[in-house]
Amino acid sequence: MKALFVEDAYLSTAEALVTSVREDGGIMLDQTCFYATSGGQPGDTGFLERDNGERIEIAGAVNGATKSEIIHVPAPGQPSPEIGEKLVLHIDWERRHKLMRMHTACHLLSVVCAYPITGASVSETDSRVDFDMSETIDKAEVTAKLMDLVNANHRIYTQWISEEDLDANPDLVKSKNVRPPRGQGRIRLVCIGEDAAIDSQPCGGTHVTETAEVGEIHIGKIEKKGKENRRFRIRFGPAPD
Ligand SMILES: [Zn+2]
């Protein structure tokens, strides 16, 4: 299965052929623009359109046994497609674009707050990033630095490196607990700024292509979760007074 979002995160629709339908109803395709839940970013929702215009509503997308397997999970009571059937895939683009903006905001936060990441979760309205840090940090200051990066409108692009290159540059990995998936020979880096001047880190998620597209964001709160853990919440819009 070809994961089209890896090369083009802006693909909201695509054509595909049904390769199999699992016993649990999960639909497998030859290619897809549906992102599967991974790395703290939720999978896409949307619908698959049949030739006669009938819709198969998709409640989510998840990985199967391997990363290269993406299961499209239908909502309850949806019709089941035939193997070999051609479908037009439509992701809920409004939702996905918010997730792309939020996911990119998490990368910007890791630039502003250069501590090891212990966890992260992206949603349409709110994202959280946990850092291994014991210092107290002012959320208004973090918000101001985040907005500086947004307003500078840095370019965001991806670049592939070999596993050997990653081994030679272990500092690229900011996540303390999660290692990038190995065994495919290459790792995708998400770079911010010309020549990755602002940041680069391994990531398989979907991002916007310029930091200004993130839009206005602020740190809603910073919670102390244990002596050496701080949980930051990123929200859209201006900081409330
Ligand atoms: Zn990412």
Side-chain angles (χ1 to χ4, degrees):
M1 181 175 310
K2 197 170 169 210
L4 301 169
F5 52 83
V6 174
E7 296 298 343
D8 186 1
Y10 289 82
L11 205 59
S12 61
T13 176
E15 281 188 359
L17 297 173
V18 178
T19 54
S20 66
V21 178
R22 292 157 46 102
E23 233 168 76
D24 61 11
I27 300 164
M28 313 298 281
L29 305 167
D30 63 339
Q31 59 175 16
T32 188
C33 51
F34 278 72
Y35 181 77
T37 301
S38 172
Q41 181 180 333
D44 285 319
T45 57
F47 65 93
L48 313 179
E49 187 187 347
R50 310 181 82 174
D51 245 358
N52 62 6
E54 188 176 34
R55 289 180 174 199
I56 302 168
E57 297 291 339
I58 298 299
V62 294
N63 282 127
T66 65
K67 269 269 183 194
S68 57
E69 234 178 66
I70 295 175
I71 304 166
H72 304 77
V73 182
Q78 297 301 302
S80 192
E82 304 294 328
I83 292 171
E85 187 174 337
K86 190 173 85 180
L87 299 169
V88 182
L89 325 181
H90 301 264
I91 63 171
D92 180 341
W93 174 250
E94 205 177 309
R95 174 176 179 270
R96 158 71 95 70
H97 190 240
K98 283 182 188 157
L99 293 170
M100 282 161 61
R101 289 167 58 205
M102 264 299 181
H103 185 136
T104 307
C106 293
H107 283 245
L108 297 181
L109 179 58
S110 77
V111 173
V112 170
C113 201
Y115 296 92
I117 295 169
T118 54
S121 170
V122 178
S123 91
E124 294 152 75
T125 53
D126 177 279
S127 290
R128 68 166 176 80
V129 183
D130 293 343
F131 290 99
D132 181 355
M133 64 185 281
S134 49
E135 293 77 2
T136 303
I137 191 163
D138 179 48
K139 68 180 183 184
E141 201 178 299
V142 177
T143 295
K145 287 181 181 169
L146 280 174
M147 285 312 298
D148 283 347
L149 289 170
V150 170
N151 292 328
N153 202 17
H154 296 291
R155 174 181 170 228
I156 301 164
Y157 61 97
T158 59
Q159 189 188 337
W160 293 93
I161 61 166
S162 67
E163 292 179 350
E164 292 74 27
D165 286 341
L166 186 70
D167 291 336
N169 298 281
D171 292 345
L172 283 175
V173 181
K174 294 190 174 182
S175 177
K176 202 176 167 187
N177 309 323
V178 187
R179 297 284 131 189
R182 313 283 299 206
Q184 295 184 330
R186 59 180 202 161
I187 305 270
R188 193 177 78 149
L189 287 185
V190 173
C191 306
I192 304 177
E194 285 312 320
D195 299 321
I198 304 295
D199 189 44
S200 67
Q201 58 180 296
C203 185
T206 60
H207 313 83
V208 294
T209 52
E210 302 175 328
T211 59
E213 202 175 325
V214 171
E216 187 158 27
I217 48 170
H218 66 277
I219 298 297
K221 57 180 169 182
I222 302 172
E223 299 162 274
K224 189 170 173 180
K225 294 273 174 191
K227 207 169 85 180
E228 292 184 355
N229 198 30
R230 298 290 180 275
R231 172 166 293 176
F232 288 61
R233 293 205 177 265
I234 308 174
R235 290 181 187 145
F236 284 129
D241 293 327

